[in-house]
Amino acid sequence: MSERVLTPRNRGFLFLDSHPAGCEQVVADMWQACPDPACVPEGVGPVALIIGSSAGYGLAATLAGLKRAGIRGIMVSFEKAPTERRTATAGWYRTAATADIARTAGRDLVFLNGDAFSDTMKNQVADLIEQRFGGRLDYLIYSVAAPRRTDPDTGTTYASVLKPIGQANRTKTLLFDDQGVPEVGEVETGPAEGDDVEQTVAVMGGADWERWVDHLAGRGLLGDGFATAALSYIGSPLTAAIYRQGTIGAAKAHLEATALTLNERLNRTVGGRAVTSVNGAAVTQSSTAIPGIALYTGLLRGVLGEDMVPPVRQLAALWDQLTGAAPLTLDDEGRVRLDNWELADDVQAAVAERWEAATTNTIADLADLAWFRAEVQRLYGFSVPGIDYTAAVATDIPWPAHTP
């Protein structure tokens, strides 16, 4: 097994390598941060399928589901293995650490690595539910952020884009130079053209979520009372032009419309439910790619400090609502709202004031830059307290095996 001393090497917010020990500790810290349930789950636990389980809110859903609901089942993600030149992706190492926690907790989780958009993966999951989990699925959490999707029916590959709709958008942005000095500048993003909106909706909308539900229903695998949730985001008016009112927002609107369609169908057929869960802001590998989000999130942390709710606590609340441990509370659009702490009027007013005042000279006093930079590095297993980064670490960590 190869061992290397790993130091962070990055291009902007994208890191070239990941640190296995740091990723393992990140997962352990998330596990500890998830509140204990009022009653410890007993028995074999409900069967859950989580698509996009290795990062961001999908990872939080996996850990919170284990701790709050005692889930067993199947976790799906798409990660790269280690090579001679590169470590594995951070999600690969996080998955290995999550598998260890599941084993310690005595829960039967199977981790699959592959293209969740493909019918091959859908068949593999369905076969496992039939053969390993008694032919009944209780919950499906859908948390997928991808640059492209190939439609299994047509073979057409669609590509998602981050663009405003109607006109170009110019927004403030936060960057760090090679020495880590923060810079506040502006970036202009041209408007969606041609079929940009349709392509983005085809990737990030509800088509694949609905396909998953239809596929599993067609195999007779949805249990009575089956519930499914797709994870979404609305965000601040400060980022709306590039996000909620842009191409990604169109995809999120399609996701929410799909939830209403699925909800009616599931209620009629299995007494089930489909919802979207609107989560609050977090530093994720997906969010750092969106213009303006880095600045916004750093300012939000500057306003809220420790009152900023981490993803694993948000997903603990979602699991409580899905399982009936807490009342299911929906907004007028039928969505679970886990972002009220972020979008409170006083919070948004304070962030907006700081946004207007933010320059390279003032940003250090307005945003929690140390927290933000550390959060970005922790996405790849760096800047994690308790890890000795001068020590060589094994990088050839195997993907979690599952026995029949």
Side-chain angles (χ1 to χ4, degrees):
M1 183 172 288
S2 60
E3 291 192 352
R4 294 167 51 192
V5 175
L6 296 167
T7 56
R9 295 183 297 155
N10 61 296
R11 298 168 183 158
F13 296 134
L14 179 65
F15 284 63
L16 303 181
D17 286 314
S18 304
H19 197 284
C23 291
E24 180 181 11
Q25 188 61 50
V26 164
V27 171
D29 291 344
M30 289 179 67
W31 179 254
Q32 290 300 317
C34 182
D36 291 323
C39 298
V40 177
E42 297 181 354
V44 295
V47 178
L49 167 62
I50 299 179
I51 304 169
S53 61
S54 61
Y57 280 96
L59 175 63
T62 303
L63 293 169
L66 272 170
K67 198 168 195 178
R68 301 291 290 188
I71 62 169
R72 56 199 176 107
I74 305 165
M75 312 292 112
V76 178
S77 58
F78 200 6
E79 300 295 344
K80 292 182 179 179
T83 67
E84 291 184 2
R85 295 184 64 247
R86 291 278 182 263
T87 68
T89 52
W92 180 285
Y93 298 131
R94 288 191 295 257
T95 297
T98 304
D100 289 341
I101 287 176
R103 280 191 293 270
T104 300
R107 298 298 175 182
D108 184 12
L109 290 192
V110 175
F111 295 86
L112 299 180
N113 188 29
D115 181 6
F117 294 138
S118 71
D119 282 352
T120 299
M121 178 59 74
K122 292 175 175 65
N123 283 320
Q124 187 177 359
V125 167
D127 290 345
L128 274 169
I129 295 171
E130 284 184 343
Q131 298 162 12
R132 189 181 185 110
F133 296 104
R136 172 193 169 112
L137 183 67
D138 299 300
Y139 299 102
L140 190 163
I141 305 295
Y142 190 85
S143 178
V144 176
R148 63 191 63 85
R149 167 179 172 257
T150 298
D151 187 318
D153 288 332
T154 65
T156 303
T157 297
Y158 300 97
S160 61
V161 295
L162 279 164
K163 292 183 179 181
I165 295 174
Q167 60 184 10
N169 173 249
R170 191 168 185 83
T171 185
K172 285 185 174 182
T173 189
L174 173 65
L175 298 171
F176 294 89
D177 66 17
D178 293 341
Q179 284 71 47
V181 177
E183 297 178 352
V184 175
E186 288 191 344
V187 61
E188 182 169 312
T189 306
E193 299 175 336
D195 63 351
D196 282 345
V197 175
E198 291 78 8
Q199 293 246 352
T200 304
V201 169
V203 179
M204 299 289 290
D208 185 61
W209 180 30
E210 185 171 20
R211 191 179 184 91
W212 269 102
V213 173
D214 288 347
H215 190 92
L216 297 169
R219 295 277 295 264
L221 299 175
L222 303 185
D224 292 340
F226 167 81
T228 181
L231 307 188
S232 187
Y233 182 66
I234 291 177
S236 170
L238 294 167
T239 59
I242 193 66
Y243 193 85
R244 192 64 192 192
Q245 296 167 9
T247 53
I248 295 295
K252 296 299 184 184
H254 185 272
L255 190 74
E256 291 162 9
T258 301
L260 298 177
T261 300
L262 287 176
N263 188 63
E264 189 278 330
R265 186 187 312 163
L266 291 170
N267 183 261
R268 184 179 68 251
T269 56
V270 295
R273 179 180 293 278
V275 297
T276 48
S277 173
V278 182
N279 306 303
V283 180
T284 68
Q285 285 162 282
S286 299
S287 70
T288 54
I290 303 171
I293 291 291
L295 176 61
Y296 168 76
T297 308
L299 294 171
L300 180 67
R301 174 73 182 194
V303 170
L304 288 174
E306 293 298 325
D307 289 333
M308 194 165 175
V309 183
V312 75
R313 280 175 49 200
Q314 295 180 47
L315 270 295
L318 176 62
W319 274 111
D320 287 355
Q321 293 193 42
L322 292 178
T323 60
L328 182 65
T329 304
L330 306 177
D331 67 8
D332 293 340
E333 305 298 324
R335 305 172 296 197
V336 177
R337 298 302 295 267
L338 304 177
D339 61 345
N340 293 329
W341 57 272
E342 175 189 351
L343 298 187
D345 290 343
D346 59 335
V347 173
Q348 285 299 306
V351 175
E353 183 177 350
R354 294 184 182 215
W355 178 282
E356 289 298 319
T359 66
T360 298
N361 292 331
T362 63
I363 189 60
D365 297 323
L366 300 173
D368 192 339
L369 297 179
W371 171 86
F372 179 82
R373 289 194 66 209
E375 284 294 294
V376 171
Q377 294 199 13
R378 278 193 284 269
L379 294 175
Y380 300 88
F382 295 103
S383 193
V384 179
I387 301 299
D388 180 3
Y389 290 101
T390 66
V393 63
T395 60
D396 193 16
I397 306 297
W399 186 262
H402 63 274
T403 55

